[in-house]
């Protein structure tokens, strides 16, 4: 049993080869998580597993048994978007939109990591008790999500506005 | 992907028992490398024993050693307050590798056991002695700019991709194992093997053995440390070269030094000869240059990776200068 976006799903995983990504898209009918590279390189399949951002393409569905998964469908809905999603729209944080569900889920997980005191490569002091979400920190911490349209400036601005309070 | 069976273990004993009684079984940690290789049909295990949910509490043991369970995720290790305060190059090495998502998935045990990123190893149409013993090595005359300059053989010049392992090598970490024959401990520097004429044999684990814990002694209190990595883009790339260094200087003299090199060999490369040169020497650029020359005395370039030798030399010198 996997709790997906708050709803328990009893879907038999008859083939252990099933990735969590294929399970979500094919078995659960959730097409938000995208299959970009299917080899852990692009981040388009990013979902939250027990609140932490992971790559659904390299997670076996069987490994998610008994855990909770949040996809972009669980973040917001038409007419009731998450503030982060509104910010992506306001800052043109996408063009084609294919990477966007992964970007959104990744940013949510990233903000939680900052709140929990997870350092990054660009953190001024790795032993610090807390970390500020500077644009450099956002770029470094989001480096696992590629955008082939190159909407990075808008993505960084949207994340900064949402979690820091307005781009400079 | 070849079909396989899947079972999850809740403790070390049941994991080892499951692997011992299931033909063709392989341990599964975060899957960030293994699942990818299985999808490429490069790894073809008949069974997976999932050990990603084994206990993962990081703690200081009664002997004062840091104890990191093998199932701990890279993120949890890098975020641990004791690690960041007293073993900071472990955290530095981890945040210099992979991406946020991968660090959330990847385990410490899996990080040590990950396979090389040599493109010919990944390309089923290429010759690779590591993938298919005896088939040859296309890296010899191919695109080998990412490859080894130390400890390579004509049969294989692949590098070990881990950042964490380089920091652990510098810190004199030990790897604790459990297997069908019981428990034992190996020094991290003895975990990985150089290719020789058997590049498919990458480590010293016995069949069915599982890494349970990595333990690390407290570094010298006065030592300063750094992990420095050079790569082709700012983030989310494997090392061209990397250096993990600890340096203890008193009154202008090096009291102790530890130096481990990454991106240059099939294993984290502990530069013991350079450490010997440094110990007792004045903490000057001249000493650091001499140590770097000694560390790289046996370095041999391939057709496209000769740049790694002067690059590594400069990174060693600048890292030691920064710490002195």
């Amino acid at each position: 049993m996997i709790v997906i976006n708050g709803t328990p799903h009893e879907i038999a995983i008859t083939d252990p080869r099933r990735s969590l990504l294929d399970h979500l898209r094919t078995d659960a009918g959730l097409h938000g998580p995208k299959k970009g590279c299917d080899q852990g390189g692009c981040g388009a399949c990013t979902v939250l597993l027990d609140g932490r951002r992971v790559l659904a393409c390299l997670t076996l569905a069987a490994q998610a048994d008994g855990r909770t998964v949040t996809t972009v469908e669980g973040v917001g809905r038409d007419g009731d978007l998450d503030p982060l999603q509104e910010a992506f729209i306001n800052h043109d944080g996408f063009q084609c939109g294919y990477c966007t569900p992964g970007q959104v889920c990744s940013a949510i997980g990233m903000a939680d990591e900052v709140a929990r005191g997870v350092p990054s490569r660009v953190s001024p002091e790795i032993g610090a008790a807390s970390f500020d979400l500077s644009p450099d920190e956002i770029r470094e911490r989001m480096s696992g999500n590629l955008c082939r349209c190159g909407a990075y400036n808008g993505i960084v601005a949207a994340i900064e506005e949402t979690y820091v309070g307005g781009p400079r | 992907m070849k079909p396989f069976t899947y079972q999850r273990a809740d403790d070390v004993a049941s994991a080892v028992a499951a692997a011992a009684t299931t033909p063709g079984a392989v341990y599964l940690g975060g899957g960030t490398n293994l699942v990818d290789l299985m999808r490429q049909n490069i790894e073809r295990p008949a069974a997976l024993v999932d050990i990603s949910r084994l206990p993962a509490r990081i703690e200081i043991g009664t002997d004062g050693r840091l104890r990191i369970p093998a199932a701990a995720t890279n993120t949890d290790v890098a975020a641990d307050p004791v690690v960041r305060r007293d073993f900071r190059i472990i955290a530095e090495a981890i945040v210099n590798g992979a991406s946020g998502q991968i660090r959330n998935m990847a385990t410490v045990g899996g990080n040590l056991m990950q396979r090389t990123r040599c493109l010919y190893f990944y390309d089923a149409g290429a010759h690779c002695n590591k993938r298919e013993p005896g088939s040859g090595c296309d890296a010899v005359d191919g695109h080998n700019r990412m490859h080894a300059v130390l400890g390579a053989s004509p049969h294989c010049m692949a590098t070990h991709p881990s950042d964490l392992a380089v920091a652990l090598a510098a810190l004199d970490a030990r790897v604790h194992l459990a297997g069908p024959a019981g428990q034992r401990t190996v020094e991290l520097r003895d975990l990985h093997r150089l290719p020789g004429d058997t590049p498919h044999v990458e480590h010293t684990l016995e069949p069915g053995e599982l890494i349970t814990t990595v333990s690390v002694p407290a570094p010298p209190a006065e030592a300063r440390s750094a992990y420095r990595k050079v790569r082709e883009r700012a983030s989310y790339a494997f090392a061209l070269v990397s250096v993990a260094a600890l340096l203890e200087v008193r009154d202008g003299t090096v009291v102790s030094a530890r130096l481990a090199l990454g991106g240059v060999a099939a294993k984290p490369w502990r530069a013991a000869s350079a450490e010997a040169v440094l110990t007792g020497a004045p903490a000057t650029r001249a000493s650091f240059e001499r140590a770097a020359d000694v560390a790289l005395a046996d370095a041999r370039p391939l057709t496209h990776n000769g740049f790694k030798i002067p690059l590594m030399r400069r990174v060693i010198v600048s890292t030691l200068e920064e710490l002195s």
Side-chain angles (χ1 to χ4, degrees), chain A residues 16-17 38-41 46 52-53 55 57 59 62-63 65 67 113 117 121 125-126 128 140 143 145, chain B residues 1 4 8 28-29 32 36 39-40 50 53 76 78 84 88 95-96 99 101 104-105 231 234-236:
Chain A
R17 291 179 291 184
D38 211 24
Q39 57 180 15
T46 302
R52 298 200 178 186
R53 53 179 174 161
L55 301 173
C57 75
T59 304
Q63 289 182 285
D65 182 45
R67 303 172 74 174
E113 289 163 15
R121 181 184 63 85
E125 168 50 50
I126 201 152
E140 164 60 25
S143 71
N145 290 83
Chain B
M1 204 185 300
F4 57 88
R8 186 162 56 232
L28 172 68
T32 56
D36 185 30
R39 194 165 284 143
Q40 314 280 336
D50 182 356
R53 293 199 211 179
D76 283 348
R84 290 195 280 139
R88 53 182 296 137
V95 299
N96 267 283
S99 67
Q101 292 96 315
N104 280 343
M105 303 166 71
R231 47 185 158 177
S235 183
Y236 197 16

Side-chain angles (χ1 to χ4, degrees), chain B residues 168-245:
Chain B
L168 292 174
L171 288 167
D172 286 332
R174 285 184 187 147
V175 178
H176 304 270
L177 307 169
Q183 302 189 355
R184 68 184 180 106
T185 298
V186 298
E187 298 293 328
L188 179 111
R189 75 184 73 157
D190 299 327
L191 180 68
H192 300 99
R193 297 165 51 121
L194 292 177
D197 56 6
T198 55
H200 59 291
V201 184
E202 298 177 346
H203 53 75
T204 54
L205 266 56
E206 299 291 336
E209 272 191 323
L210 172 67
I211 298 175
T212 59
T213 308
V214 174
S215 73
V216 190
E222 302 298 314
R224 299 184 65 201
S225 62
Y227 184 76
R228 186 78 79 76
K229 175 176 179 177
V230 178
R231 47 185 158 177
E232 292 182 317
R233 57 184 185 218
S235 183
Y236 197 16
F238 291 103
L240 292 168
V241 302
S242 71
V243 168

Side-chain angles (χ1 to χ4, degrees), chain A:
Chain A
M1 190 272 291
I2 305 175
V3 177
I4 303 172
N5 298 330
T7 305
H9 281 246
E10 286 285 357
I11 307 170
I13 298 160
T14 52
D15 188 341
R17 291 179 291 184
R18 199 67 146 172
S19 70
L20 178 59
L21 178 59
D22 285 342
H23 184 62
L24 292 169
R25 289 180 57 86
T26 305
D27 301 333
L30 294 168
H31 299 141
K34 295 292 185 284
K35 187 177 283 192
C37 67
D38 211 24
Q39 57 180 15
C42 74
C45 66
T46 302
V47 299
L48 300 167
L49 183 61
D50 286 345
R52 298 200 178 186
R53 53 179 174 161
V54 299
L55 301 173
C57 75
L58 292 184
T59 304
L60 297 178
Q63 289 182 285
D65 182 45
R67 303 172 74 174
T68 66
V69 174
T70 303
T71 69
V72 74
E73 288 91 341
V75 173
R77 301 188 168 280
D78 272 349
D80 183 23
L81 294 181
D82 187 270
L84 176 65
Q85 293 170 303
E86 299 279 8
F88 264 72
I89 295 169
N90 294 337
H91 290 280
D92 291 331
F94 50 82
Q95 286 180 37
C96 81
Y98 196 79
C99 73
T100 312
Q103 299 276 4
V104 167
C105 287
S106 184
I108 292 169
M110 184 272 296
D112 178 64
E113 289 163 15
V114 173
R116 286 191 291 115
V118 178
S120 90
R121 181 184 63 85
V122 299
S123 301
E125 168 50 50
I126 201 152
S130 64
F131 302 100
D132 293 329
L133 204 47
S134 66
D136 277 354
E137 283 273 14
I138 294 171
R139 287 179 186 279
E140 164 60 25
R141 291 173 186 267
M142 292 295 292
S143 71
N145 290 83
L146 307 186
C147 169
R148 274 338 187 199
C149 301
Y152 292 112
N153 290 339
I155 293 168
V156 172
I159 293 171
E160 190 180 16
E161 178 181 272
T162 304
Y163 296 115
V164 186
R168 272 155 267 194

Side-chain angles (χ1 to χ4, degrees), chain B residues 13-27:
Chain B
S14 59
V16 170
T21 54
T22 312
V26 164
Y27 296 113

